[in-house]
Amino acid sequence: IITGDLTKNGELLNHILMAQRLARLERQGIEVYVVPGNHDINNPDSVRYVGDTTRRVANVNPKLFRAIYQRFGYDRAIATDASSLSYVAEPLPGVWLLAIDSCKYQNNLKLGYSEIGGKISPATMAWLLDVLGQAKLKHKRVVAMMHHGVNQHSLVEPLLFSEYLVDDWPEVSAQLAAAGLGVVFTGHYHGQDAAYPVDANLETHRTLCDVETGSLVQYPCAFRVATIDQGALVLKTRYINHINTDTGGV
C-alpha cells in the first residue's frame, strides 16, 4: 500500500512511469493499492528540467489519476466514494482496505500552487462511516490508508507542522475510531512513528492508531511489513540499505 506522493510534482510522464514500475510488482504476484498525495493531482509545479531552467509539462486531474492507477486499487474496489478518490477493497477474505483520499487538489490550479494540507469533506466522511458500519455488520476487519495524519506524532506537530495533519484531525480521529476503525497507515511527514490519540491532559487513548511510515527516498529508506497473526496486526520496519546499481536490483 502506498499512501500518496507517487510523483515529485504530479507530472503526467512520472505518473505513467510509476504505474509501469508498479506493474512489475503486480506481475510478481504482489497486489498494489494507492491513494493520492498532495504532490500528485492538479499540481502547477509539474515541470521538466532544461539545463538550469524549467519548462511546464502536463499534470493530471483526478479522473486521469484514477485511470492511470486503475489496476492498483480502483478496479478491485467493492465500493467507491462519489465525492473523492476514496475506495474500499477486500485484498484478503474478511479484511477490508479503506483507501481515503484526504488531499485538497480542487483549487490548486487557481491558487498557482499545490495545497499541502488535507481535508475529509462531510460527504466523504459520511461515506466512510457508512462503509465502517457495513464492515461491522458483515464482521469485516478494516485497515485504512491515507496521506495525511489523523493523530499528532509529537507535541509540536499541531503548532509547527499542522499541514501534515488532516483538518479537524481530533474530530476526524474520534469519528473514525467510534465507528470501529483501529488502524490507519499514513505518510506525508515521511517519519517512522505510530501514535494513538492524546487528550489535553497528555493521556493516551488506545483507540485509532496512526501508523506513519517513512519514504524510500529519505534516509534511512524505511518501509513497513504488516502481518495479521491470530487476530493481531504485527508491524515490522525494514530498510533498503543497498542497491545493486549494475542490475537495478535491491
Side-chain angles (χ1 to χ4, degrees), residues 231-244:
L233 184 65
V234 180
L235 302 176
K236 294 184 178 180
T237 296
R238 296 182 181 174
Y239 303 95
I240 300 294
N241 51 35
H242 175 74
I243 296 176
N244 186 336

Side-chain angles (χ1 to χ4, degrees), residues 50-70:
V50 182
D52 58 358
T53 63
T54 60
R55 293 180 186 174
R56 292 287 297 273
V57 296
N59 53 31
V60 304
N61 58 29
K63 184 177 181 179
L64 189 51
F65 179 93
R66 177 171 180 158
I68 292 172
Y69 297 103
Q70 186 72 25

Side-chain angles (χ1 to χ4, degrees), residues 16-36:
I16 293 172
L17 292 173
M18 183 62 171
Q20 290 174 352
R21 282 156 176 75
L22 297 181
R24 292 166 58 184
L25 294 178
E26 191 178 58
R27 287 194 293 270
Q28 297 178 48
I30 300 172
E31 291 186 10
V32 179
Y33 297 87
V34 307
V35 288

Side-chain angles (χ1 to χ4, degrees), residues 160-176:
L160 301 181
F161 306 104
S162 61
E163 290 178 312
Y164 292 91
L165 294 164
V166 72
D167 287 358
D168 301 318
W169 55 273
E171 179 64 18
V172 169
S173 180
Q175 285 192 65
L176 295 177

